[in-house]
Amino acid sequence: MTDDILLEPLKAYKSVYKQAVNDEAGKFFDELVAKSGIDVEANRQTVKELKKKQKEADEINKKINKLKVGKGFSIFGIIIGFLMTIICLFLLFGTVDPDIAINIILAIVGLALGIGLIVVIVKVINPKIKDQTLVLNKILDKIKELKDLAYAQMAPLNALYDWNMATTIIEKVIPILDFDKYFDGSKYLSLIDNYGFSELTDVNQSTLYVQSGTILGNPFLIQKQKVHNIVQKTYSGSIVIHWTETYRDSKGNLNTRSRTQTLTAYVQHPAPEYTNQTALIYGNDAGPDLSFSRAPSGMSGKSEKEINKFVRSKEDDLQKMAEKSIKRGDKNPFTPLANTEFEVLFGALDRDHNVQYRLLFTPLAQKNEVDLITSTDGYGDDYYFYKHKKINVISSKHSQLEDLSGNPSIFIGYDHDVARKIFIDYVNNFFKAVYFDFAPLLSIPLYQQMKSLDYIYGKDCPYNYSAYEHEVFANAFPEEYLKDPLSITTCMLKTRVIRVDGKSDKVEITAYSYRGEERVDYVRKMGGDGHMHTIPVYWTEYIPLTRVSLMELRNLNASRFDFNNKMQDNRLNEFISSHSNGGIYSFQRGLMAILAGEGYSIKEDQELDSIFKKDEDNN
């Protein structure tokens, strides 16, 4: 398999990569099973028996529910019977002259019905419910026993799941895609210094997930950010007013009647809003002076006829835009390409460097982009493409919905066959989501021909891990340990390296959140009674809060399996307990972060070295 196939990314996905990743995921899982040494057939037998018991429990539950329904009807019958008896006795001895015989008979029938149904409940229904419940409890005990056994059978496999498994599989299928284990400081500085990437300082953005890597040496990162905005929130309040009015009826007589009306008022005040956004960031030296943006065309899922009609409807607009650009004397006048379909569907009409735009979007690149936009094999036209000089940003609708974390907890279970399906499905979905974010970039042949010199020679960094990783681990801690106790909102976490302790970064975490103060506005409004009324509208004033914590982030060079084994060792437990605030820590992708106290230093870093020394020597 050569890299040339990637020159047509959609074709490559359909003809090769889709099936290859599926097969590699199955192979990877089966190798993991073999390494774990679990008895698959024994697990299948346990799960089979478990499902049988669950089916039995469902049947017993149905019986119990039917009995409870019957009991409910019986109670209703008892009430009706006793009511009938009481009513008949009242008629019998009351002031009304009743039909004595009928009332006596009905009273007896009602009494008999009530007593009879009580007997049925006490002697028949309740014992059956009790008996069935005892049977159900025995079955549930057996289900728990079988499930515990199934988990025990799967425990060696569950222990082997690790971070980065999906990316490892993708690297085997597409070697030019190189995913990092974690986002280090050198690559972060490279993006900033060599590609003009913005530093992570915006307090309105905080990183929840990051995956860095390279394509032929050109750096990329996939990031999921929590985004904070201030929006105008609408609050409402209402009162009910009453008045009496006089009116004439159809005969001309004066009458009065009571009227009511609900008066509602609205006010708007600033409030914080929090959303998540996922994007692919890619650095490439091709087209270094070119900037443009494009948004989905709206042609996803449309027929060829509908697309052609849409393209024809925009042809005149392209010509008019070109004429206006020339008349204005623009430095880089807009000149449309001959491929009108590409121009309309891709829609990067705000480009500011025609020569470099044409170098990037060759006829093959144009065809590739149109294929992506009109195809139903991926996600269609759901991507935004923003290029500013050497930085490219892809943000797609589908990537906002996918969990790309690769968290091992996704795969842990008690059923081998279900676990295998979950694993393969996750890898397939992960690959599809990531691949079709890369596809608009891979569609440009020049991007695959440019190799970063900075990647070849490398670069030193004053700290160990990128600001993105600092924020990812800060966000992995429980919020209640980081934000101000008075906060009524979630928090935005920003980080700053304050010291490097050997292989550890000491990081200051600042949590930005809000406390709330109840306020009231009084709005005057005319009512149907002809008078002005005051309506109170209660709203919340959000007042900023900050709180600072400390974190130590360290690369342990350990797998999840090794780390969990070390957690069984009192030394690591004691280390976390004595050096962290509240025993709070997070481990993922070989890195461990602890919510640290002031006293952490190089000495503690060396202590961690000694705890993991054996494992590091073996690596």
Side-chain angles (χ1 to χ4, degrees), residues 45-194:
Q45 187 59 41
T46 301
V47 171
K48 181 179 179 181
E49 190 176 350
L50 173 60
K51 289 179 178 178
K52 181 181 176 183
K53 290 297 179 184
Q54 286 174 333
K55 188 175 180 181
E56 290 178 14
D58 291 340
E59 292 299 320
I60 297 294
N61 262 321
K62 288 179 183 178
K63 291 179 181 179
I64 291 173
N65 288 333
K66 285 181 180 179
L67 288 169
K68 287 181 177 179
V69 170
K71 183 177 179 178
F73 278 117
S74 297
I75 292 171
F76 180 72
I78 292 168
I79 294 170
I80 295 297
F82 286 153
L83 279 176
M84 187 167 64
T85 300
I86 292 168
I87 292 170
C88 290
L89 290 174
F90 174 77
L91 293 174
L92 189 62
F93 297 105
T95 57
V96 182
D97 184 23
D99 186 324
I100 295 175
I102 292 175
N103 281 293
I104 290 173
I105 292 170
L106 289 175
I108 294 171
V109 169
L111 186 62
L113 176 64
I115 294 172
L117 289 174
I118 288 174
V119 172
V120 169
I121 289 174
V122 173
K123 295 293 186 180
V124 180
I125 296 178
N126 281 349
K128 284 186 177 181
I129 291 176
K130 183 179 179 181
D131 290 343
Q132 293 296 325
T133 301
L134 288 173
V135 173
L136 176 63
N137 287 337
K138 288 181 181 178
I139 295 174
L140 292 176
D141 288 342
K142 185 63 176 176
I143 288 173
K144 184 181 182 304
E145 178 186 327
L146 290 168
K147 188 172 286 188
D148 289 344
L149 174 59
Y151 269 116
Q153 292 170 333
M154 289 285 286
L157 176 61
N158 289 334
L160 291 179
Y161 293 133
D162 212 339
W163 304 82
N164 303 105
M165 291 188 297
T167 54
T168 299
I169 291 167
I170 294 170
E171 285 176 333
K172 289 182 180 178
V173 176
I174 311 178
I176 71 167
L177 282 178
D178 184 16
F179 293 92
D180 299 326
K181 190 173 183 180
Y182 58 86
F183 188 14
D184 66 28
S186 296
K187 189 161 290 180
Y188 176 51
L189 283 188
S190 171
L191 276 164
I192 294 171
D193 295 342
N194 300 302

Side-chain angles (χ1 to χ4, degrees), residues 384-411:
Y384 296 79
F385 190 159
Y386 170 73
K387 174 174 167 64
H388 181 69
K389 311 297 184 184
K390 296 181 181 181
I391 290 293
N392 301 262
V393 180
I394 302 292
S395 179
S396 62
K397 294 176 183 177
H398 70 262
S399 64
Q400 313 307 315
L401 306 174
E402 291 292 336
D403 177 4
L404 303 177
S405 67
N407 193 322
S409 63
I410 296 169
F411 314 112

